[in-house]
């Protein structure tokens, strides 16, 4: 008689563990979806036009491919679009005034 009650108790415990595991799995999916939405909001959408000069940095990833053409060699190649920045030709530097600080008098 005890074997049957112990067996039923173990069966209930296993079912309860299964439910807890399923709940944890569903919670993990919800968390991943929310984090993906949050991350996608932070991605900046860049608009480039044909003929626009761009700067390319660290183009090892090939996720969002964009075809660009080199100005010197006229070769076309595909790069990751997230690794492009607009190039500003007439970027002017500003002069900075330097002020020497003196030691306080005692």
């Amino acid at each position: 008689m005890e074997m049957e009650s112990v067996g039923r108790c173990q069966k209930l415990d296993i079912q309860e563990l299964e439910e807890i595991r399923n709940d944890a799995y569903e919670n993990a999916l919800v968390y991943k979806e929310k984090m993906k939405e949050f991350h996608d909001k932070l991605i900046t959408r860049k608009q480039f036009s044909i003929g626009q000069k761009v700067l390319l940095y660290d183009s090892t990833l090939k996720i969002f491919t964009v075809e660009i053409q080199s100005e010197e060699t006229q070769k076309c190649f595909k790069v990751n679009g997230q690794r492009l920045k607009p190039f500003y030709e007439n970027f002017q530097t500003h002069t900075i005034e330097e002020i020497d600080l003196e030691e306080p008098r005692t």
Side-chain angles (χ1 to χ4, degrees):
M1 291 281 201
E2 278 186 35
M3 293 299 272
E4 285 183 27
S5 63
V6 170
R8 270 189 265 137
C9 185
Q10 283 181 344
K11 197 179 231 184
L12 290 174
D13 287 344
I14 290 173
Q15 288 176 350
E16 185 179 347
L17 285 174
E18 185 83 17
E19 288 179 22
I20 292 171
R21 186 187 66 82
N22 287 337
D23 288 343
Y25 180 76
E26 289 175 14
N27 289 338
L29 285 178
V30 169
Y31 173 77
K32 287 179 184 179
E33 288 173 1
K34 286 184 180 180
M35 287 305 294
K36 184 179 182 333
E37 287 176 17
F38 176 74
H39 180 264
D40 288 348
K41 286 180 187 176
L42 297 178
I43 294 176
T44 57
R45 306 290 180 217
K46 299 176 184 177
Q47 297 292 326
F48 297 107
S49 59
I50 296 174
Q52 180 181 358
K53 291 184 178 182
V54 293
L55 295 173
L56 171 66
Y57 63 100
D58 192 21
S59 63
T60 55
L61 291 173
K62 304 281 191 240
I63 297 173
F64 307 105
T65 58
V66 175
E67 190 170 310
I68 62 173
Q69 182 178 11
S70 173
E71 201 171 67
E72 293 90 27
T73 62
Q74 302 302 320
K75 284 186 176 180
C76 292
F77 51 97
K78 292 184 179 183
V79 297
N80 182 0
Q82 293 292 317
R83 302 291 183 191
L84 295 176
K85 287 185 177 181
F87 177 72
Y88 301 108
E89 285 188 65
N90 297 329
F91 186 76
Q92 298 176 358
T93 58
H94 300 284
T95 57
I96 299 174
E97 181 180 345
E98 290 186 20
I99 300 174
D100 293 328
L101 299 176
E102 296 178 5
E103 290 290 325
R105 296 180 189 171
T106 57

